Amino acid sequence: MTAPARPQSRTAVRNLTVLYDADCSLCVHLRSWLLRQPQLVPLELVPAGSAQAQRRYPHLDHDMTRREITVIGDKGQVYTGQAAWIVCLWALAEHRPKAHWLATPAGAPFVRVTMLAAAKYREAVKGAPTAAPCDDRCAAPD
């Protein structure tokens, strides 16, 4: 005899806050790209470690949020690393199917490689002049 199925609590995510490194040209470029995409779940992008981030999320390690993408759901969910990248794509209308695939064992290596490439880029440009890679083409309204 099997146990009766327990009802699952499925709380819909209504919005996500993405903490991004405002001193990283790649992160600023990705912030602008995210803001230009049609969103199924609204994304709010806040500079990591900023007064706003610290006030809203006092429980987070804000030094870590500057080093690793962090996404916070409206119910307090915290996503970091690979999960944070995937949830950002999941929030986007055109990229949700890809996010579902990236969350599988088959897609995980692609997320890992992408994150490693981003980390290498960030390391390479540390200390370099802080010109944005896309000039004013990727500017997005605040």
Side-chain angles (χ1 to χ4, degrees):
M1 184 167 156
T2 60
R6 284 191 265 158
Q8 291 185 337
S9 173
R10 289 197 166 273
T11 305
V13 175
R14 294 202 171 113
N15 59 63
L16 295 164
T17 301
V18 180
L19 302 180
Y20 72 97
D21 183 353
D23 295 326
C24 167
S25 60
L26 176 62
C27 300
V28 171
H29 175 74
L30 291 172
R31 169 201 177 269
S32 298
W33 180 82
L34 285 168
L35 290 174
R36 289 192 309 269
Q37 303 306 303
Q39 299 173 4
L40 295 172
V41 176
L43 296 174
E44 180 180 5
L45 285 98
V46 173
S50 67
Q52 180 185 10
Q54 291 181 30
R55 184 176 56 255
R56 288 174 64 178
Y57 308 109
H59 61 285
L60 292 179
D61 176 349
H62 290 280
D63 288 332
M64 179 58 78
T65 66
R66 286 186 184 103
R67 293 188 302 271
E68 183 173 41
I69 183 173
T70 304
V71 179
I72 301 99
D74 58 332
K75 304 291 188 224
Q77 314 92 314
V78 176
Y79 307 92
T80 60
Q82 293 181 21
W85 285 104
I86 292 169
V87 80
C88 284
L89 290 175
W90 175 84
L92 304 177
E94 295 176 20
H95 299 282
R96 185 167 279 185
K98 180 63 77 179
H100 284 286
W101 181 77
L102 290 169
T104 68
F110 293 93
V111 178
R112 196 172 314 112
V113 167
T114 301
M115 290 187 64
L116 287 172
K120 282 188 175 233
Y121 176 85
R122 284 172 50 100
E123 188 63 33
V125 298
K126 260 188 192 172
T130 57
C134 56
D135 300 328
D136 63 350
R137 294 176 309 210
C138 63
D142 287 325

